[in-house]
Amino acid sequence: MLIGALLLALQIGWRAQQAAPSARAEALTPPPSASSIRLATLGEPITASGLLALRLQAFDNQPGISIPFAALDYPRLVAWLDTLLQLDPHANYPLLMASNLYAQVPDPARQRLMLDFTYRQFLADPARRWRFLAHAALIAKHRLHDLPLALQYARAIQMHAGGTNIPHWANQMPIFILEDMGEVAAAKIELGALLASGSITDPQEKHFLTERYQELAAASSKPRQAR
Amino acid sequence: MRKILAIARFTLLEAARSRLSWLVLGTVLVLSLASLLVRELAITDSQRLQLAFLATALRATSALLTASFIISSLQREFNDKVPALVLALDVPRSHFVLGKAAGLSLTALLIAVACALPLALLAPAMAWWPWTVSLMLESWIIAAISLFCGFSLRSVSAGLLFTAGFYVLAKSLATIQLISHASLSAATISHRYMTGLLDTLALLLPRLDQFAQTSWLVDGVERAALGGLSLQALIFVALVTSATMFDLYRKNL
């Protein structure tokens, strides 16, 4: 009994003096191919994708330790996210990580990599992935201050995922970005087309947008009057 | 027929009297708790991830518990000379095999249902029942292979190794074939030989990757093709059980 207790204490002591596992940025190796992961997990790609996403998540936030995103190899990160989506095309996890986590890095080049990943993946399944691209458009507008890029994303949402499947605010994004870009006339045309399409059925929203259209019309006529 | 039923009944009784049910219950409980941890770790898709993890873990558990119970119980019976004792009575060897197969298959089906039960709380009913039925069919196949190993190999380690090898190969052979056919060295003779070998092996094994697919639970089932899976299970179980019977007939107990 005493020997058993001593051996148990020895085991606990041995493990306690060892350092706790920690995340190292350089430990993020390139991902194996999707087919290798399928093989290794005996044909369970959805579970593999989910668990590997959790592992990837551990590289940016572990108990008591956090690796700055800037320390991570972003092209490698994109390769991992690509693989995760190949394994489970219906998963939201890789797109959420790209648009909401890794795009927060204060480095425009790395942010653009994540936004580009989100855009490419959006085109593969617009109906399911539009909200991640909408977030990417907001990052392009407010963080990168790249209004043409934000407009490209907003127009992609309108064009590929538009219609009744997405909320009106997402459909109306290009109008407000055009307005921010000073393209008041173009914004007026887009808003006019939206109102004329009849897709706005809520009376309050219709009223708000009509007022907005009138403001834009007034603003776009001012420079002409000035001239 | 009465002899077969009697042997099946005693086999089921033995399973009920062993601690198998507690083992299944305990494992299912531990894995369900582990799935809660996985759900807590996820920042999105948490229920999807929990469901996928639990389904994968319970599916593997069902196969492992079925194989280990059947192989070890048959090994114990052979050590205690039970088959020799039963066959000394007026029981043909085929009846003995069929009775054992019926009892052990029923045990395997009960293990599969117990493993599928926690998923009923997480998955939609229309996705859960085809998944559960196909898990039962897979367990039936595992039971038949384990029965063959228990009768023929007479060693727990060898039996478990053979069954595990069968399970891994039957689940991953389709992926191995895909990789092999897409290889860049397709023109070499050795590659053609290996590909041919894999294709031949694929003809002999059931495609277990088509059974109890996790995607049915998380994305819904469009067409589970349970008819085809049932027919595959029936053909393979009949083949393996007849092989078990053949082996027992040629053996000197």
Side-chain angles (χ1 to χ4, degrees):
Chain A
M1 184 76 177
L2 185 66
I3 295 171
L6 276 172
L7 288 172
L8 182 65
L10 191 65
Q11 163 66 21
I12 292 169
W14 174 253
R15 285 295 286 116
Q17 58 86 35
Q18 287 175 346
S22 62
R24 287 178 299 115
E26 62 270 26
L28 184 64
T29 52
S33 67
S35 50
S36 312
I37 297 172
R38 267 200 191 90
L39 187 61
T41 56
L42 303 184
E44 293 287 356
I46 296 175
T47 312
S49 172
L51 294 178
L52 286 172
L54 289 183
R55 178 186 175 266
L56 200 58
Q57 190 181 305
F59 276 93
D60 37 81
N61 194 3
Q62 284 213 340
I65 184 164
S66 176
I67 292 176
F69 292 137
L72 292 170
D73 182 338
Y74 263 53
R76 198 168 278 183
L77 211 48
V78 168
W80 269 102
L81 296 172
D82 259 326
T83 307
L84 296 185
L85 272 181
Q86 274 179 50
L87 289 169
D88 183 5
H90 290 179
N92 291 319
Y93 222 110
L95 288 158
L96 183 103
M97 287 169 101
S99 61
N100 290 51
L101 285 180
Y102 298 126
Q104 304 296 329
V105 67
D107 174 356
R110 287 190 163 100
Q111 279 180 325
R112 281 177 196 278
L113 267 179
M114 284 301 148
L115 298 190
D116 183 55
F117 166 79
T118 310
Y119 179 59
R120 275 191 293 111
Q121 295 299 340
F122 159 80
L123 292 175
D125 189 356
R128 200 188 294 272
R129 297 174 181 169
W130 66 267
R131 62 193 175 98
F132 301 107
L133 192 65
H135 190 77
L138 292 177
I139 291 176
K141 185 181 164 192
H142 296 290
R143 295 276 172 86
L144 290 175
H145 305 292
D146 187 344
L147 290 175
L149 186 67
L151 184 64
Q152 181 195 344
Y153 291 166
R155 283 212 162 123
I157 294 170
Q158 197 183 39
M159 190 183 300
H160 299 290
T164 52
N165 299 326
I166 63 170
H168 292 311
W169 65 261
N171 252 332
Q172 293 155 16
M173 267 174 79
I175 298 164
F176 297 109
I177 295 172
L178 277 170
E179 203 183 334
D180 286 342
M181 289 169 81
E183 303 279 351
V184 180
K188 191 195 90 179
I189 292 166
E190 290 221 8
L191 186 52
L194 184 68
L195 285 166
S197 71
S199 61
I200 312 289
T201 49
D202 183 77
Q204 295 288 344
E205 191 177 358
K206 201 170 183 175
H207 176 69
F208 167 74
L209 289 176
T210 309
E211 275 190 346
R212 193 90 194 107
Y213 177 77
Q214 284 162 356
E215 282 171 24
L216 285 172
S220 64
S221 64
K222 264 180 196 166
R224 274 202 301 273
Q225 283 166 1
R227 273 199 298 268
Chain B
M1 190 66 185
R2 279 179 55 204
K3 288 170 188 166
I4 295 173
L5 287 177
I7 293 168
R9 189 169 151 264
F10 278 106
T11 306
L12 258 180
L13 270 178
E14 188 215 338
R17 284 172 187 159
S18 70
R19 289 179 185 166
L20 181 67
S21 50
W22 289 108
L23 189 63
V24 174
L25 197 69
T27 314
V28 166
L29 197 67
V30 168
L31 289 175
S32 301
L33 290 173
S35 79
L36 287 176
L37 176 72
V38 169
R39 191 179 71 178
E40 290 306 312
L41 288 174
I43 50 175
T44 185
D45 284 346
S46 47
Q47 188 169 348
R48 179 185 176 84
L49 193 50
Q50 180 189 14
L51 191 52
F53 168 79
L54 192 56
T56 305
L58 288 174
R59 185 183 175 190
T61 298
S62 168
L64 184 68
L65 287 174
T66 299
S68 56
F69 171 73
I70 292 177
I71 293 168
S72 60
S73 83
L74 283 174
Q75 179 64 34
R76 196 174 52 249
E77 284 194 4
F78 274 108
N79 287 344
D80 295 346
K81 305 280 182 201
V82 174
L85 197 67
V86 174
L87 294 173
L89 304 169
D90 186 21
V91 177
R93 293 187 180 202
S94 60
H95 285 44
F96 182 63
V97 172
L98 287 176
K100 292 302 285 183
L104 292 171
S105 297
L106 207 53
T107 308
L109 298 186
L110 291 173
I111 293 173
V113 172
C115 285
L117 275 179
L119 297 167
L121 300 173
L122 300 168
M126 288 307 289
W128 179 79
W129 79 261
W131 189 88
T132 304
V133 170
S134 71
L135 181 70
M136 289 164 77
L137 293 171
E138 182 182 279
S139 292
W140 192 25
I141 291 174
I142 299 291
I145 278 285
S146 305
L147 187 81
F148 173 76
C149 291
F151 270 105
S152 306
L153 299 179
R154 306 278 181 85
S155 151
V156 174
S157 328
L160 279 176
L161 197 66
F162 185 91
T163 309
F166 162 81
Y167 185 69
V168 168
L169 211 54
K171 275 194 82 172
S172 56
L173 198 56
T175 312
I176 297 173
Q177 275 183 293
L178 271 177
I179 294 171
S180 164
H181 285 291
S183 172
L184 294 174
S185 59
T188 61
I189 293 172
S190 61
H191 183 269
R192 279 210 300 271
Y193 173 75
M194 283 309 292
T195 309
L197 194 69
L198 286 173
D199 290 346
T200 311
L201 196 59
L203 293 176
L204 296 172
L205 298 177
R207 273 194 66 179
L208 289 189
D209 59 306
Q210 292 182 331
F211 289 70
Q213 294 175 38
T214 308
S215 61
W216 296 353
L217 293 172
V218 295
D219 296 327
V221 193
E222 281 177 16
R223 201 166 145 266
L226 285 178
L229 296 181
S230 307
L231 192 62
Q232 165 64 97
L234 189 67
I235 292 169
F236 193 76
V237 168
L239 172 73
V240 176
T241 310
S242 61
T244 310
M245 232 181 264
F246 175 79
D247 191 59
L248 189 66
Y249 267 105
R250 69 172 188 86
K251 265 187 180 143
N252 188 8
L253 293 173

mmCIF file of all heavy atoms in Angstrom, chain A residues 131-156:
data_model
loop_
_atom_site.group_PDB
_atom_site.id
_atom_site.type_symbol
_atom_site.label_atom_id
_atom_site.label_comp_id
_atom_site.label_asym_id
_atom_site.label_seq_id
_atom_site.Cartn_x
_atom_site.Cartn_y
_atom_site.Cartn_z
ATOM 1 N N ARG A 131 -22.668 35.301 -45.676
ATOM 2 C CA ARG A 131 -22.496 36.140 -44.479
ATOM 3 C C ARG A 131 -21.027 36.329 -44.113
ATOM 4 O O ARG A 131 -20.649 37.348 -43.540
ATOM 5 C CB ARG A 131 -23.303 35.607 -43.297
ATOM 6 C CG ARG A 131 -22.928 34.244 -42.808
ATOM 7 C CD ARG A 131 -24.010 33.724 -41.875
ATOM 8 N NE ARG A 131 -23.764 32.371 -41.462
ATOM 9 C CZ ARG A 131 -23.203 32.053 -40.316
ATOM 10 N NH1 ARG A 131 -22.846 32.992 -39.467
ATOM 11 N NH2 ARG A 131 -23.002 30.789 -40.002
ATOM 12 N N PHE A 132 -20.194 35.354 -44.484
ATOM 13 C CA PHE A 132 -18.756 35.515 -44.210
ATOM 14 C C PHE A 132 -18.158 36.563 -45.152
ATOM 15 O O PHE A 132 -17.287 37.329 -44.757
ATOM 16 C CB PHE A 132 -18.032 34.172 -44.345
ATOM 17 C CG PHE A 132 -18.580 33.148 -43.404
ATOM 18 C CD1 PHE A 132 -19.370 32.097 -43.864
ATOM 19 C CD2 PHE A 132 -18.346 33.241 -42.044
ATOM 20 C CE1 PHE A 132 -19.908 31.178 -42.991
ATOM 21 C CE2 PHE A 132 -18.882 32.324 -41.157
ATOM 22 C CZ PHE A 132 -19.672 31.286 -41.641
ATOM 23 N N LEU A 133 -18.645 36.589 -46.399
ATOM 24 C CA LEU A 133 -18.145 37.592 -47.340
ATOM 25 C C LEU A 133 -18.678 38.981 -46.959
ATOM 26 O O LEU A 133 -17.976 39.985 -47.150
ATOM 27 C CB LEU A 133 -18.539 37.239 -48.779
ATOM 28 C CG LEU A 133 -17.819 38.073 -49.823
ATOM 29 C CD1 LEU A 133 -16.319 37.803 -49.808
ATOM 30 C CD2 LEU A 133 -18.351 37.835 -51.218
ATOM 31 N N ALA A 134 -19.873 39.026 -46.390
ATOM 32 C CA ALA A 134 -20.400 40.315 -45.926
ATOM 33 C C ALA A 134 -19.486 40.870 -44.834
ATOM 34 O O ALA A 134 -19.164 42.063 -44.810
ATOM 35 C CB ALA A 134 -21.820 40.136 -45.398
ATOM 36 N N HIS A 135 -19.029 39.982 -43.942
ATOM 37 C CA HIS A 135 -18.101 40.407 -42.891
ATOM 38 C C HIS A 135 -16.773 40.848 -43.518
ATOM 39 O O HIS A 135 -16.190 41.854 -43.091
ATOM 40 C CB HIS A 135 -17.880 39.263 -41.909
ATOM 41 C CG HIS A 135 -17.149 39.688 -40.678
ATOM 42 N ND1 HIS A 135 -17.741 40.390 -39.658
ATOM 43 C CD2 HIS A 135 -15.856 39.547 -40.316
ATOM 44 C CE1 HIS A 135 -16.859 40.651 -38.726
ATOM 45 N NE2 HIS A 135 -15.703 40.145 -39.097
ATOM 46 N N ALA A 136 -16.353 40.111 -44.548
ATOM 47 C CA ALA A 136 -15.098 40.469 -45.241
ATOM 48 C C ALA A 136 -15.228 41.847 -45.885
ATOM 49 O O ALA A 136 -14.279 42.644 -45.867
ATOM 50 C CB ALA A 136 -14.778 39.416 -46.295
ATOM 51 N N ALA A 137 -16.415 42.160 -46.425
ATOM 52 C CA ALA A 137 -16.639 43.480 -47.043
ATOM 53 C C ALA A 137 -16.508 44.576 -45.991
ATOM 54 O O ALA A 137 -15.926 45.639 -46.262
ATOM 55 C CB ALA A 137 -18.018 43.515 -47.688
ATOM 56 N N LEU A 138 -17.022 44.300 -44.792
ATOM 57 C CA LEU A 138 -16.921 45.297 -43.711
ATOM 58 C C LEU A 138 -15.468 45.515 -43.303
ATOM 59 O O LEU A 138 -15.041 46.646 -43.040
ATOM 60 C CB LEU A 138 -17.749 44.843 -42.501
ATOM 61 C CG LEU A 138 -19.265 44.827 -42.704
ATOM 62 C CD1 LEU A 138 -19.974 44.297 -41.475
ATOM 63 C CD2 LEU A 138 -19.770 46.230 -43.039
ATOM 64 N N ILE A 139 -14.694 44.409 -43.265
ATOM 65 C CA ILE A 139 -13.263 44.537 -42.917
ATOM 66 C C ILE A 139 -12.540 45.344 -44.006
ATOM 67 O O ILE A 139 -11.726 46.229 -43.706
ATOM 68 C CB ILE A 139 -12.622 43.143 -42.733
ATOM 69 C CG1 ILE A 139 -13.188 42.497 -41.463
ATOM 70 C CG2 ILE A 139 -11.101 43.257 -42.617
ATOM 71 C CD1 ILE A 139 -12.719 41.092 -41.234
ATOM 72 N N ALA A 140 -12.864 45.035 -45.272
ATOM 73 C CA ALA A 140 -12.220 45.764 -46.378
ATOM 74 C C ALA A 140 -12.539 47.255 -46.278
ATOM 75 O O ALA A 140 -11.670 48.103 -46.526
ATOM 76 C CB ALA A 140 -12.705 45.201 -47.710
ATOM 77 N N LYS A 141 -13.765 47.564 -45.860
ATOM 78 C CA LYS A 141 -14.173 48.975 -45.797
ATOM 79 C C LYS A 141 -13.582 49.686 -44.572
ATOM 80 O O LYS A 141 -12.976 50.746 -44.698
ATOM 81 C CB LYS A 141 -15.709 49.027 -45.754
ATOM 82 C CG LYS A 141 -16.269 50.435 -45.811
ATOM 83 C CD LYS A 141 -17.787 50.403 -45.731
ATOM 84 C CE LYS A 141 -18.293 51.807 -45.383
ATOM 85 N NZ LYS A 141 -19.689 51.805 -45.007
ATOM 86 N N HIS A 142 -13.733 49.072 -43.403
ATOM 87 C CA HIS A 142 -13.376 49.782 -42.174
ATOM 88 C C HIS A 142 -11.936 49.570 -41.725
ATOM 89 O O HIS A 142 -11.363 50.442 -41.080
ATOM 90 C CB HIS A 142 -14.336 49.387 -41.048
ATOM 91 C CG HIS A 142 -15.741 49.806 -41.329
ATOM 92 N ND1 HIS A 142 -16.140 51.121 -41.322
ATOM 93 C CD2 HIS A 142 -16.842 49.089 -41.678
ATOM 94 C CE1 HIS A 142 -17.421 51.196 -41.635
ATOM 95 N NE2 HIS A 142 -17.873 49.970 -41.859
ATOM 96 N N ARG A 143 -11.357 48.385 -42.008
ATOM 97 C CA ARG A 143 -9.979 48.143 -41.559
ATOM 98 C C ARG A 143 -8.980 48.485 -42.649
ATOM 99 O O ARG A 143 -7.985 49.153 -42.402
ATOM 100 C CB ARG A 143 -9.808 46.670 -41.172
ATOM 101 C CG ARG A 143 -10.634 46.232 -39.975
ATOM 102 C CD ARG A 143 -9.896 46.578 -38.688
ATOM 103 N NE ARG A 143 -10.723 46.347 -37.524
ATOM 104 C CZ ARG A 143 -10.828 45.179 -36.913
ATOM 105 N NH1 ARG A 143 -10.142 44.159 -37.361
ATOM 106 N NH2 ARG A 143 -11.602 45.047 -35.856
ATOM 107 N N LEU A 144 -9.258 47.964 -43.859
ATOM 108 C CA LEU A 144 -8.291 48.199 -44.951
ATOM 109 C C LEU A 144 -8.537 49.542 -45.645
ATOM 110 O O LEU A 144 -7.677 50.009 -46.394
ATOM 111 C CB LEU A 144 -8.390 47.069 -45.987
ATOM 112 C CG LEU A 144 -7.885 45.701 -45.567
ATOM 113 C CD1 LEU A 144 -8.160 44.670 -46.667
ATOM 114 C CD2 LEU A 144 -6.384 45.735 -45.292
ATOM 115 N N HIS A 145 -9.723 50.113 -45.408
ATOM 116 C CA HIS A 145 -10.134 51.356 -46.087
ATOM 117 C C HIS A 145 -10.004 51.200 -47.607
ATOM 118 O O HIS A 145 -9.625 52.127 -48.303
ATOM 119 C CB HIS A 145 -9.307 52.554 -45.587
ATOM 120 C CG HIS A 145 -9.386 52.695 -44.096
ATOM 121 N ND1 HIS A 145 -10.542 53.044 -43.437
ATOM 122 C CD2 HIS A 145 -8.461 52.474 -43.128
ATOM 123 C CE1 HIS A 145 -10.327 53.054 -42.133
ATOM 124 N NE2 HIS A 145 -9.073 52.701 -41.910
ATOM 125 N N ASP A 146 -10.284 49.990 -48.078
ATOM 126 C CA ASP A 146 -10.208 49.691 -49.510
ATOM 127 C C ASP A 146 -11.650 49.584 -50.023
ATOM 128 O O ASP A 146 -12.229 48.486 -50.072
ATOM 129 C CB ASP A 146 -9.435 48.371 -49.707
ATOM 130 C CG ASP A 146 -9.174 48.072 -51.178
ATOM 131 O OD1 ASP A 146 -9.836 48.698 -52.033
ATOM 132 O OD2 ASP A 146 -8.327 47.207 -51.472
ATOM 133 N N LEU A 147 -12.225 50.740 -50.370
ATOM 134 C CA LEU A 147 -13.640 50.739 -50.762
ATOM 135 C C LEU A 147 -13.908 49.963 -52.061
ATOM 136 O O LEU A 147 -14.918 49.259 -52.149
ATOM 137 C CB LEU A 147 -14.146 52.177 -50.857
ATOM 138 C CG LEU A 147 -14.276 52.883 -49.494
ATOM 139 C CD1 LEU A 147 -14.653 54.335 -49.677
ATOM 140 C CD2 LEU A 147 -15.295 52.199 -48.609
ATOM 141 N N PRO A 148 -13.003 50.039 -53.080
ATOM 142 C CA PRO A 148 -13.271 49.216 -54.274
ATOM 143 C C PRO A 148 -13.341 47.715 -53.961
ATOM 144 O O PRO A 148 -14.178 47.001 -54.522
ATOM 145 C CB PRO A 148 -12.085 49.533 -55.189
ATOM 146 C CG PRO A 148 -11.649 50.902 -54.771
ATOM 147 C CD PRO A 148 -11.866 50.959 -53.294
ATOM 148 N N LEU A 149 -12.474 47.253 -53.028
ATOM 149 C CA LEU A 149 -12.511 45.829 -52.655
ATOM 150 C C LEU A 149 -13.830 45.510 -51.930
ATOM 151 O O LEU A 149 -14.475 44.491 -52.208
ATOM 152 C CB LEU A 149 -11.313 45.483 -51.755
ATOM 153 C CG LEU A 149 -11.143 44.009 -51.414
ATOM 154 C CD1 LEU A 149 -10.787 43.194 -52.653
ATOM 155 C CD2 LEU A 149 -10.067 43.791 -50.340
ATOM 156 N N ALA A 150 -14.212 46.405 -51.021
ATOM 157 C CA ALA A 150 -15.482 46.212 -50.291
ATOM 158 C C ALA A 150 -16.646 46.171 -51.280
ATOM 159 O O ALA A 150 -17.546 45.334 -51.160
ATOM 160 C CB ALA A 150 -15.668 47.329 -49.280
ATOM 161 N N LEU A 151 -16.596 47.048 -52.274
ATOM 162 C CA LEU A 151 -17.667 47.088 -53.279
ATOM 163 C C LEU A 151 -17.684 45.796 -54.104
ATOM 164 O O LEU A 151 -18.754 45.254 -54.410
ATOM 165 C CB LEU A 151 -17.460 48.303 -54.196
ATOM 166 C CG LEU A 151 -18.547 48.527 -55.240
ATOM 167 C CD1 LEU A 151 -19.892 48.837 -54.577
ATOM 168 C CD2 LEU A 151 -18.167 49.650 -56.196
ATOM 169 N N GLN A 152 -16.481 45.298 -54.427
ATOM 170 C CA GLN A 152 -16.391 44.036 -55.193
ATOM 171 C C GLN A 152 -17.071 42.895 -54.425
ATOM 172 O O GLN A 152 -17.850 42.128 -54.987
ATOM 173 C CB GLN A 152 -14.909 43.695 -55.431
ATOM 174 C CG GLN A 152 -14.701 42.430 -56.237
ATOM 175 C CD GLN A 152 -13.264 41.917 -56.162
ATOM 176 O OE1 GLN A 152 -12.352 42.647 -55.750
ATOM 177 N NE2 GLN A 152 -13.061 40.685 -56.557
ATOM 178 N N TYR A 153 -16.808 42.841 -53.113
ATOM 179 C CA TYR A 153 -17.400 41.776 -52.294
ATOM 180 C C TYR A 153 -18.918 41.975 -52.176
ATOM 181 O O TYR A 153 -19.690 41.021 -52.284
ATOM 182 C CB TYR A 153 -16.768 41.766 -50.894
ATOM 183 C CG TYR A 153 -15.317 41.328 -50.879
ATOM 184 C CD1 TYR A 153 -14.521 41.528 -49.752
ATOM 185 C CD2 TYR A 153 -14.727 40.716 -51.987
ATOM 186 C CE1 TYR A 153 -13.200 41.130 -49.728
ATOM 187 C CE2 TYR A 153 -13.401 40.325 -51.965
ATOM 188 C CZ TYR A 153 -12.635 40.540 -50.835
ATOM 189 O OH TYR A 153 -11.329 40.156 -50.813
ATOM 190 N N ALA A 154 -19.309 43.239 -51.936
ATOM 191 C CA ALA A 154 -20.749 43.514 -51.772
ATOM 192 C C ALA A 154 -21.510 43.193 -53.061
ATOM 193 O O ALA A 154 -22.602 42.630 -53.022
ATOM 194 C CB ALA A 154 -20.942 44.972 -51.386
ATOM 195 N N ARG A 155 -20.911 43.542 -54.185
ATOM 196 C CA ARG A 155 -21.577 43.250 -55.470
ATOM 197 C C ARG A 155 -21.625 41.748 -55.730
ATOM 198 O O ARG A 155 -22.595 41.248 -56.313
ATOM 199 C CB ARG A 155 -20.828 43.955 -56.607
ATOM 200 C CG ARG A 155 -21.159 45.441 -56.652
ATOM 201 C CD ARG A 155 -21.103 45.953 -58.078
ATOM 202 N NE ARG A 155 -21.807 47.212 -58.190
ATOM 203 C CZ ARG A 155 -21.256 48.338 -58.642
ATOM 204 N NH1 ARG A 155 -19.998 48.349 -58.992
ATOM 205 N NH2 ARG A 155 -21.966 49.438 -58.742
ATOM 206 N N ALA A 156 -20.566 41.035 -55.295
ATOM 207 C CA ALA A 156 -20.551 39.571 -55.470
ATOM 208 C C ALA A 156 -21.702 38.938 -54.693
ATOM 209 O O ALA A 156 -22.374 38.022 -55.174
ATOM 210 C CB ALA A 156 -19.215 39.001 -55.005
#
